[in-house]
Amino acid sequence: MNATVNEACIGCGLCTSTCPEVFTMGDSGTAQGGPVPEAMLDSAQEARDGCPVSAISLGE
């Protein structure tokens, strides 16, 4: 599974603090997703659900 962050990201950093194993802040000041390890699925879902602008998607 992969996490993606779309252009709606406002760079608040909530996802990176919730699940730093998957989300990082890019040079542009917005978040970037990546592969979601099985053990981090719950944290990645929490980050997605907590995103204030619904910029995170989880999928294949």
Side-chain angles (χ1 to χ4, degrees):
M1 177 172 291
N2 284 306
T4 56
V5 180
N6 68 33
E7 66 279 350
C9 178
I10 58 173
C12 72
L14 182 64
C15 60
T16 59
S17 64
T18 302
C19 188
E21 297 84 0
V22 174
F23 299 97
T24 58
M25 293 302 286
D27 292 339
S28 64
T30 57
Q32 297 176 340
V36 180
E38 186 77 25
M40 300 314 304
L41 183 56
D42 287 344
S43 293
Q45 289 171 334
E46 182 180 343
R48 176 198 61 200
D49 295 346
C51 180
V53 293
S54 299
I56 298 171
S57 297
L58 300 176
E60 294 302 316

